[in-house]
């Protein structure tokens, strides 16, 4: 028995020592990012994005809209997901060094205006054109009505009134004209109309994914059509860019398309790779989106919104694109 | 065998918890250390997959769905092999070792979704392999009148590990810096080292109870099938199935609490912590109580607690007292059923096929639980939460009746 206890003590010491040594080695490898300048969110011909380059991974940066592959201005601010419009920014980032997150409302000079804790992993972020309304989506692993799968939760903040809808799950839902309730309601990918009251989003329930139209004032949501995810409303408000699951099955990837709201007509875009992102309108004719290149690395590509042309590499080592303005 | 062994006993040993034997404590220590390791990974895996590797949640769900059926079959096969070679420690040790190796596998898998899926499946395989031989060893290590206490001690130690795991993971992330891409690797390395300590403790301190070699016919596929013919075992499986069906799933209980109370989402993860705390504190005392007044009453009481939880969720009561009561009772339900059911099952199974029998009971319960959570999801959708939870409460009451009917002491020979 004595021998066994000696072996156990020695073994535990060796293994615990190895663990501590590895943690020490990993934390010593920390690296500082040199910010290259002052990023401004004020409207102008610039593209905002999150860098995925090793040197400044996670940092918010901008490039000129006319020379997107050119020099980048990198800020000291790091976010997991970022978006900006009308001089207001939205940054979803880890809250300290823990596995919790927060959303940060940014002014045009990237100063924090308000911080709200988030439960779940940041996934989508949007700001309405005039900068008043903010929306975000997180993945949550608590609602295990499907055995450990993620559910999503979308929230909206009105910066003018301070009204916060932490989740859309308590909105009154109308499905195909009939009131609908279910435990497995999930919402993601909100996009705002110009009136700052209405919005579009994705709703899923019972294996179906719908484009829904919502009303922030009345707290209502109604379905518009099926198999439309991560909608993004064009600047002129006539079309919705979105990703749709190939043959209705997300396991087969997603195809970028544009829906003309008035004509109810869908045009698949020239990008044939699977895109798992909420597309962003760079102008009235161009869609921008991130495509993963390798783990932790993405590029921002662009493609015409009318289904013609071909995808073009816009910003290397970038994701979460947002056009700051004309 | 007399089924009356599951009922009240005349002279349950009065004594301390230490009376359950060193082997139970050794197994408890192994479980504690292993749970720290596995809960560390469970706590960070979603973040790692989605933010570290940019995998979509759809892929993550796929991983999770992979193993339910596969491990069910494997659990029974592993249980049978353990009985056949009469080396339960070796089979359990293989399970622990597989899960330890899987932690390193996460490092090696990098960002390949297929490789990560394979590694997670390997980890679950290890868990499926070890559970039944471990519980069989507990039933063989402690004196029969003290089995409830033995399982109580083991489950309490196990919960301590589950409780500490996420905290250790957070400490590692904080030390390395969560934004550092290497932070997750550090969590996996530490998790592997801790899992390896668990395997080391098992090898050094857990003693295998090699039951006397029965005649070879006693451990054969035919004998395993014959096990199902014994009325005692059949009743046990019926009870496990009914009880599994009465449980709708933790996720729903927490979700309903949140709906009922409009709890800020920030508190949501703490609901499970509350249940765990109650389970941890009550496991050993309720195990001891089961030895004293009989295991069946305690199991039935546990399902009574579950029915009360459902009624609280369906009823008009509200406020923090409701939440505290619901979580305390939900933990009590686990403490009164999880280990105590095994203590109740052990003596009903012949020693030569004990691991096989326990794995059957656990698998039936797991599959019934899975079925009921799917059904409850549908009921919620079609009837609304109120009616669904009311039906679940009724189901728990029916389960108490059925379980009492099939397991109550009788003088029938099994």
């Amino acid at each position: 028995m004595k021998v066994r206890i000696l072996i156990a003590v020695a073994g535990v010491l060796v293994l615990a020592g190895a663990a501590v040594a590895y943690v020490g080695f990993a934390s010593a490898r920390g690296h500082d990012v040199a910010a290259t300048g002052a990023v401004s969110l004020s409207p102008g011909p610039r593209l905002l994005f999150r860098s995925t380059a090793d040197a400044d991974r996670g940092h918010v940066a901008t490039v000129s809209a006319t020379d997107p592959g050119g020099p980048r201005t990198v800020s000291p601010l790091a976010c997991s997901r970022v978006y900006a419009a009308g001089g207001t920014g939205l940054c979803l980032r880890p809250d300290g060094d823990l596995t919790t997150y927060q959303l940060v409302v940014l002014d045009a000079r990237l100063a924090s205006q308000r911080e709200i804790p988030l439960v779940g992993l940041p996934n989508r972020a949007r700001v309405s054109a005039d900068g008043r309304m903010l929306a975000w989506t997180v993945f949550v692993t608590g609602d295990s009505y499907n055995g450990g799968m993620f559910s999503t939760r979308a929230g909206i903040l009105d910066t003018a009134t301070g009204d916060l809808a932490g989740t859309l799950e308590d909105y009154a839902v109308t499905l195909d004209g009939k009131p609908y309730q279910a435990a497995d309601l999930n919402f993601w990918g909100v996009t705002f109309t110009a009136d700052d009251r209405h919005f579009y989003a994705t709703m899923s329930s019972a294996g179906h994914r719908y484009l829904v139209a919502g009303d922030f004032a009345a707290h209502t949501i109604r379905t518009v059509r099926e198999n439309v995810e991560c909608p993004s409303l064009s600047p002129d408000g006539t079309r919705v860019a979105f990703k749709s699951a190939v043959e209705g099955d997300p396991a087969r990837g997603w195809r970028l398309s544009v829906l003309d709201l008035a004509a109810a007509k869908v045009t698949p875009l020239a990008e044939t790779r699977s895109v798992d992102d909420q597309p962003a309108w760079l102008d009235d004719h161009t869609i921008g989106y991130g495509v993963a290149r390798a783990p932790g690395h993405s590029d921002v590509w662009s493609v015409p919104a009318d289904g013609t042309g071909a995808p073009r590499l816009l910003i290397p080592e970038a994701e979460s694109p947002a056009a700051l303005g004309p | 065998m007399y089924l009356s062994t599951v009922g009240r006993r005349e002279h349950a040993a009065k004594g301390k918890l230490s009376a359950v034997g060193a082997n139970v404590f050794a197994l408890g220590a192994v479980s504690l250390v292993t749970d720290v390791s596995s809960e560390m990974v469970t706590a960070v895996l979603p973040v790692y997959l989605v933010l570290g590797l940019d995998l979509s949640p759809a892929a993550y769900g796929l991983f999770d769905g992979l193993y339910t059926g596969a491990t069910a079959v494997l659990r029974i096969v592993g249980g049978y092999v353990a009985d056949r070679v009469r080396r339960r420690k070796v089979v359990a040790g293989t399970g622990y070792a597989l899960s330890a190796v899987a932690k390193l596998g996460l490092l090696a898998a990098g960002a390949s979704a297929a490789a990560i899926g394979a590694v997670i499946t390997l980890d679950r395989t290890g868990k499926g392999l070890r559970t039944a031989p471990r519980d069989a060893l507990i039933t063989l290590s402690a004196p029969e009148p003290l089995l409830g206490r033995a399982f109580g001690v083991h489950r309490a130690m196990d919960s301590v590990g589950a409780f500490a795991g996420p905290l250790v993971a957070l400490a590692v992330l904080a030390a390395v810096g969560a934004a550092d891409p290497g932070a997750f690797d550090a969590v996996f390395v530490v998790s592997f080292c801790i899992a390896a300590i668990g395997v080391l403790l098992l090898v050094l301190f857990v003693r295998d109870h090699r039951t006397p070699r029965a005649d070879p016919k006693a451990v054969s596929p035919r004998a395993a099938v014959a096990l199902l013919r014994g009325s005692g075992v059949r009743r046990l499986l019926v009870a496990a199935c009914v009880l599994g069906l009465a449980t709708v799933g933790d996720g729903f209980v927490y979700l309903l609490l949140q709906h009922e109370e409009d709890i800020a989402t920030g508190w949501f993860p703490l609901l499970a912590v509350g249940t765990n705390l109650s389970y941890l504190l009550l496991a050993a005392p309720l195990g001891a109580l089961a030895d004293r007044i009989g295991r069946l009453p305690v199991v039935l009481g546990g399902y009574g607690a579950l029915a009360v939880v459902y009624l609280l969720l369906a009823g008009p009561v509200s406020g923090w007292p409701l939440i505290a009561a619901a979580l305390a009772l939900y933990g009590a339900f686990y403490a009164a059923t999880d280990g105590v059911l095994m203590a109740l099952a052990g003596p009903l199974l012949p020693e030569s096929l004990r691991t096989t029998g326990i794995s059957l009971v656990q698998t039936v319960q797991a599959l019934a639980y899975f079925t009921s959570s799917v059904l409850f999801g549908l009921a919620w959708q079609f009837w609304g939460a109120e009616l669904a939870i009311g039906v679940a409460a009724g189901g728990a009451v029916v389960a108490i009746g059925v379980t009492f009917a099939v397991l109550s002491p009788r003088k029938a020979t099994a």
Side-chain angles (χ1 to χ4, degrees), chain B residues 27-37 156-162 194:
Chain B
L27 282 162
V30 172
S31 287
L32 189 156
V33 171
T34 303
D35 252 36
V36 171
S37 156
M157 291 176 83
D158 192 86
S159 310
V160 170
I194 294 176

Side-chain angles (χ1 to χ4, degrees), chain A:
Chain A
M1 195 66 194
K2 252 199 184 121
V3 176
R4 273 191 225 166
I5 291 175
L6 278 178
I7 296 175
V9 170
V12 168
L13 282 178
V14 168
L15 287 163
V20 171
Y22 188 91
V23 171
F25 152 78
S27 59
R29 249 187 349 203
H31 44 271
D32 293 325
V33 173
T36 61
V39 162
S40 161
L41 301 181
S42 57
R46 298 183 312 289
L47 300 173
L48 175 83
F49 62 92
R50 173 188 189 265
S51 170
T52 66
D54 284 331
D56 48 25
R57 175 190 308 275
H59 285 251
V60 172
T62 52
V63 289
S64 155
T66 52
D67 183 18
R72 312 148 74 114
T73 309
V74 182
S75 78
L77 176 75
C79 302
S80 301
R81 185 94 200 175
V82 66
Y83 196 85
T88 307
L90 174 58
C91 166
L92 308 180
R93 68 180 184 192
D95 189 353
D97 263 336
L98 302 177
T99 47
T100 53
Y101 291 83
Q102 58 175 193
L103 74 90
V104 187
V105 182
L106 306 167
D107 69 9
R109 298 164 63 192
L110 297 195
S112 162
Q113 299 297 295
R114 185 174 173 184
E115 291 173 4
I116 298 173
L118 288 177
V119 175
L121 307 175
N123 172 245
R124 306 278 180 243
R126 275 296 187 269
V127 179
S128 67
D130 64 3
R132 174 177 160 180
M133 306 294 287
L134 309 179
W136 58 91
T137 305
V138 290
F139 293 131
V140 187
T141 46
D143 311 356
S144 54
Y145 36 71
N146 41 12
M149 274 173 71
F150 277 98
S151 53
T152 60
R153 207 168 277 161
I156 296 177
L157 172 69
D158 181 343
T159 58
T161 62
D163 281 350
L164 173 72
T167 174
L168 301 182
E169 280 155 57
D170 45 18
Y171 275 44
V173 176
T174 312
L175 187 125
D176 299 332
K178 292 191 221 38
Y180 180 78
Q181 59 175 6
D184 66 348
L185 279 187
N186 282 306
F187 295 93
W188 65 92
V190 175
T191 182
F192 294 100
T193 60
D195 67 4
D196 280 344
R197 171 175 168 173
H198 296 89
F199 60 89
Y200 291 95
T202 320
M203 178 182 92
S204 82
S205 180
H208 297 268
R209 292 168 308 285
Y210 307 90
L211 173 68
V212 294
D215 182 329
F216 184 69
H219 283 220
T220 57
I221 277 176
R222 61 179 173 84
T223 55
V224 178
R225 64 186 290 147
E226 257 204 74
N227 200 19
V228 171
E229 291 181 65
C230 290
S232 178
L233 193 64
S234 61
D236 64 12
T238 62
R239 290 154 297 157
V240 168
F242 64 96
K243 60 171 199 174
S244 61
V246 176
E247 295 182 24
D249 178 8
R252 305 191 48 185
W254 288 275
R255 181 74 190 266
L256 282 185
S257 305
V258 168
L259 164 71
D260 183 312
L261 287 166
K265 179 171 163 289
V266 170
T267 309
L269 302 186
E271 173 62 81
T272 53
R273 288 173 297 181
S274 174
V275 174
D276 182 7
D277 195 5
Q278 182 171 21
W281 291 81
L282 303 178
D283 56 43
D284 261 327
H285 316 286
T286 321
I287 307 285
Y289 50 93
V291 177
R293 165 211 299 224
H297 293 273
S298 301
D299 301 314
V300 168
W301 291 68
S302 72
V303 73
D306 59 4
T308 62
R312 178 166 86 88
L313 174 63
L314 196 68
I315 316 173
E317 288 289 8
E319 61 186 16
S320 264
L324 293 177

Side-chain angles (χ1 to χ4, degrees), chain B residues 183-194:
Chain B
F184 291 108
D185 288 359
V187 171
F188 300 148
V189 168
V190 173
S191 170
F192 166 75
C193 292
I194 294 176

Side-chain angles (χ1 to χ4, degrees), chain B residues 122-224:
Chain B
L122 180 76
D123 185 50
R124 301 292 159 91
T125 302
K127 191 168 170 56
L129 265 183
R130 69 182 178 242
T131 316
R134 180 199 68 199
D135 284 349
L137 266 180
I138 295 174
T139 66
L140 296 167
S141 302
E144 197 277 329
L146 297 181
L147 274 187
R149 210 165 305 198
F151 274 100
V153 167
H154 175 270
R155 294 301 196 262
M157 291 176 83
D158 192 86
S159 310
V160 170
F163 207 74
L167 301 176
V168 176
L170 287 183
V172 171
L173 285 179
V176 179
D180 189 316
F184 291 108
D185 288 359
V187 171
F188 300 148
V189 168
V190 173
S191 170
F192 166 75
C193 292
I194 294 176
I197 289 174
V199 175
L200 185 74
L201 293 180
L202 176 97
V203 170
L204 290 173
F205 298 114
V206 171
R207 295 215 317 281
D208 205 356
H209 277 261
R210 301 200 56 187
T211 39
R213 180 181 291 285
D215 82 278
K217 282 204 197 70
V219 188
S220 62
R222 182 172 307 186

